[in-house]
């Protein structure tokens, strides 16, 4: 079919397609002038930048189990109190801790070269002095999953699946499987170790850290992520048709149970029965960068938005609770601990910011039927910020997911992920990645949502599952 004919056909079909039905006008809903004023004020407010600047400069990397973790909690308490929040405290809990030791990798054959890699969280350790073994190449995780049981004995599995940038970050879910469960699968198939191409969209030599997990009864094997550039180099060697041998040293280990904690602060509401508006992000970070976009930006955005509402001169109807969850990267222990500790409290909504600091482009919510007018007000109030209303069910994220799972309404503010995975979990996750203008747009979006939901006259009850 000729291009012009194809375009004409598409235009004609659009008249009756489901997509055409979605092209409707925004609901005729008045925007609260106070909400609009707070939204616009946020576009000139730099509180969020000052928070993320402070934590990355004064604390830096905040990996679970390091000396920086309790220092980060102490810094957070002081900062939230200085910002004027009430009931600021640390809520402690226990969690298992994994520790990074000496790590290195090098090609031994067919051509020697040092590789840039990082051990994956929960990785097993090599023997003292490391291990030197041939690799077995798998283009994708699926190829690894199809390998016969026992076929990797005495070998290092190498999975080189490539991740592509997407606005919604969906490729992290599809390609991230190589990290999430690849090491567990390789261990079950007899591999002595596994290296994967970093789960990232860059082509640099900075590896991407991240957690992996092993099933109960499966002995953890050494597991590392190669920088994308080095993984591409190894892949080129494989395609030369010569055997590839790799030396791997990972002196990583589990160190036992340690104490951590969530940092909690509040803007008290006037109606205790109306429920809590839960917002926040995670305080911890990986150890390669300074945790600016993951997730210094998230805790800064949500706290700055809550402060704007707090400083507006009118107490909100619902209590706004800001939580800086202590441990997300190590396995979601902060969110699970919060949900357990506050199981008896009524939450109206739950939301988190944990996808960097680039512009919010979409919001989604799962408000119950009686509270749907709130979504209409949000649609109109967020439109000037370039934010559209989505139709998917919000998942919240690792930190607030356990609360949403109890039937609490979730709200997602989706940021652009087009460049996020260039830097995610890498040494480049530093303050210079943050664009102050885009950061302020995030704060404006969150301020709009918080001010609208916290003061909504509607009842926001639990979500009733559809039968």
């Amino acid at each position: 079919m000729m291009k012009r004919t194809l375009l004409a056909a598409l235009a004609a079909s659009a008249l009756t397609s489901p997509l055409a039905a979605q092209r409707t006008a925004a609901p005729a809903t008045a925007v609260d002038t106070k909400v609009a004023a707070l939204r616009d004020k946020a576009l000139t407010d730099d509180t969020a930048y000052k928070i993320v600047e402070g934590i990355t400069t004064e604390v830096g990397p905040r990996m679970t189990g390091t000396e920086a973790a309790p220092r980060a909690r102490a810094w957070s308490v002081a900062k939230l109190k200085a910002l004027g929040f009430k009931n600021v405290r640390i809520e402690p809990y226990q969690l298992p801790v994994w520790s990074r030791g000496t790590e290195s990798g090098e090609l031994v054959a067919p051509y020697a070269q040092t590789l840039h890699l990082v051990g994956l969280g929960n990785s097993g350790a090599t023997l003292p002095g490391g291990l030197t073994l041939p690799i077995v190449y798998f283009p994708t995780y699926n190829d690894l999953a199809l390998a016969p049981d026992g076929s990797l004995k005495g070998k290092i599995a190498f999975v080189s699946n490539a991740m592509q940038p997407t606005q919604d970050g969906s490729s992290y879910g599809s390609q991230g499987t190589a990290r999430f469960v690849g090491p567990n699968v390789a261990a079950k198939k007899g591999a002595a170790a596994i290296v994967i191409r970093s789960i990232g969209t860059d082509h640099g030599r900075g590896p991407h850290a991240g957690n992996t997990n092993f099933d109960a009864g499966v002995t953890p094997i050494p597991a590392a992520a190669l920088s994308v550039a080095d993984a591409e180099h190894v892949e080129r060697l494989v395609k030369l048709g010569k055997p590839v041998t790799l030396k791997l040293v990972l002196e990583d280990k589990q160190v036992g149970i340690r104490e951590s904690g969530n940092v909690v602060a509040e803007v008290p509401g006037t109606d205790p029965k109306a429920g809590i508006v839960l917002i926040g992000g995670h305080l911890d970070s990986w150890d390669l960068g300074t945790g600016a976009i993951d997730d210094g930006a998230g805790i800064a955005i949500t706290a700055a938005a809550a402060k704007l509402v707090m400083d507006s001169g009118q107490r909100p109807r619902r209590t706004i609770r800001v939580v800086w969850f202590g441990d997300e990267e190590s396995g979601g222990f902060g969110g699970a601990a919060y949900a357990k500790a506050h199981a008896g409290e009524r939450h109206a909504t739950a939301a988190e910011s944990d996808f960097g600091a680039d512009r919010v482009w979409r919001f989604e919510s799962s408000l119950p039927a009686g509270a749907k007018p709130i979504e209409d007000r949000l649609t109109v109030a967020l439109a000037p910020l370039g934010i559209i209303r989505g139709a998917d069910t919000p998942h919240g994220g690792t930190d607030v997911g356990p609360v949403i799972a109890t039937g609490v309404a979730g709200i997602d503010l989706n940021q652009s992920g087009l460049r996020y995975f260039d830097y995610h979990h890498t040494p480049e996750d530093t303050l210079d990645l943050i664009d102050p203008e885009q950061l302020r747009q995030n704060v404006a979006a969150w301020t709009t949502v918080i001010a609208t939901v916290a003061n909504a006259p509607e009842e926001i009850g639990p979500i009733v599952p559809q039968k």
Side-chain angles (χ1 to χ4, degrees):
M1 183 181 292
M2 296 293 291
K3 182 178 180 182
R4 183 176 299 176
T5 306
L6 175 61
L7 291 175
L10 289 173
S13 66
L15 298 176
T16 56
S17 70
L19 182 60
Q22 297 173 21
R23 296 183 183 132
T24 57
T29 304
V31 177
D32 187 311
T33 56
K34 294 180 180 178
V35 172
L38 283 175
R39 176 198 64 204
D40 296 344
K41 183 178 181 180
L43 292 172
T44 63
D45 185 84
D46 285 324
T47 301
Y49 190 87
K50 292 175 182 176
I51 293 173
V52 69
E53 179 184 43
I55 198 162
T56 55
T57 303
E58 299 169 36
V59 180
R62 308 169 294 281
M63 183 173 166
T64 295
T66 66
E67 60 80 25
R71 189 157 49 87
R73 293 193 290 274
W75 184 94
S76 301
V77 168
K79 175 60 67 176
L80 289 165
K81 286 182 176 179
L83 290 170
F85 289 99
K86 307 300 182 183
N87 306 323
V88 181
R89 73 267 189 188
I90 297 172
E91 297 184 349
Y93 54 86
Q94 304 287 310
L95 80 167
V97 171
W98 173 88
S99 177
R100 191 187 308 287
T102 300
E103 299 175 340
S104 65
E106 58 183 292
L107 284 164
V108 175
Y111 307 107
Q113 187 170 141
T114 299
L115 299 172
H116 294 73
L117 56 73
V118 64
L120 299 178
N122 293 319
S123 167
T126 59
L127 295 172
L131 56 81
T132 302
L133 292 169
I135 70 166
V136 179
Y137 168 64
F138 299 100
T140 69
Y141 163 77
N142 189 59
D143 294 303
L144 170 66
L146 292 172
D149 291 345
S151 62
L152 300 181
K153 187 174 182 180
K155 306 287 179 61
I156 298 174
F158 167 47
V159 182
S160 189
N161 57 305
M163 181 179 174
Q164 302 299 324
T166 54
Q167 185 178 28
D168 63 359
S170 55
S171 57
Y172 184 58
S174 59
Q175 302 305 315
T177 309
R179 191 193 86 210
F180 307 148
V181 299
N184 182 63
V185 171
K188 289 181 176 180
K189 294 180 181 294
I194 182 174
V195 293
I196 66 168
R197 173 175 170 151
S198 279
I199 309 303
T201 52
D202 65 310
H203 293 276
R205 298 201 80 182
H208 295 240
N211 234 32
T212 192
N213 290 288
F214 295 89
D215 291 343
V218 175
T219 301
I221 60 174
L226 292 170
S227 70
V228 174
D230 284 6
E232 291 174 338
H233 174 73
V234 175
E235 187 172 340
R236 286 192 295 271
L237 290 178
V238 169
K239 291 178 179 178
L240 290 178
K242 299 180 179 181
V244 177
T245 302
L246 175 67
K247 180 178 180 181
L248 186 65
V249 176
L250 292 180
E251 297 179 348
D252 305 331
K253 60 182 179 180
Q254 298 287 343
V255 297
I257 303 299
R258 299 289 187 271
E259 183 172 281
S260 184
N262 295 322
V263 182
V264 180
E266 293 176 340
V267 180
T270 60
D271 185 357
K273 296 181 179 179
I276 295 163
V277 176
L278 172 64
I279 60 169
H282 65 85
L283 181 59
D284 64 324
S285 77
W286 283 102
D287 50 335
L288 304 185
T290 59
I293 62 170
D294 188 20
D295 188 31
I299 62 174
I301 290 164
T302 49
K307 178 173 171 57
L308 281 165
V309 176
M310 176 175 63
D311 292 346
S312 66
Q314 178 183 354
R315 284 181 63 187
R317 179 189 175 201
R318 295 177 175 86
T319 291
I320 302 166
R321 180 172 291 165
V322 178
V323 181
W324 292 359
F325 297 90
D327 303 275
E328 189 264 358
E329 302 291 6
S330 61
F333 293 97
Y338 176 87
K340 182 178 180 180
H342 296 274
E345 295 179 276
R346 179 180 175 186
H347 291 79
T349 60
E352 67 179 86
S353 177
D354 184 16
F355 201 52
D358 284 356
R359 293 182 67 87
V360 176
W361 63 280
R362 179 179 66 184
F363 88 94
E364 296 172 319
S365 74
S366 59
L367 290 167
K372 289 299 180 182
I374 298 174
E375 292 182 350
D376 293 340
R377 295 200 292 275
L378 288 175
T379 299
V380 176
L382 290 170
L385 299 175
I387 299 170
I388 64 172
R389 179 174 175 174
D392 292 339
T393 300
H395 59 79
T398 302
D399 289 317
V400 301
V403 172
I404 291 176
T406 66
V408 174
I411 297 177
D412 281 353
L413 289 173
N414 304 140
Q415 296 147 292
S416 173
L418 288 174
R419 70 175 188 134
Y420 180 68
F421 291 105
D422 284 353
Y423 311 110
H424 178 249
H425 295 179
T426 71
E428 286 73 38
D429 181 4
T430 52
L431 184 64
D432 57 289
L433 294 182
I434 293 179
D435 177 345
E437 182 178 354
Q438 294 191 66
L439 187 71
R440 288 192 290 268
Q441 188 260 7
N442 274 262
V443 176
W446 276 88
T447 301
T448 302
V449 171
I450 295 169
T452 300
V453 174
N455 289 299
E458 291 88 355
E459 180 79 3
I460 306 178
I463 305 299
V464 179
Q466 298 293 320
K467 294 184 179 179

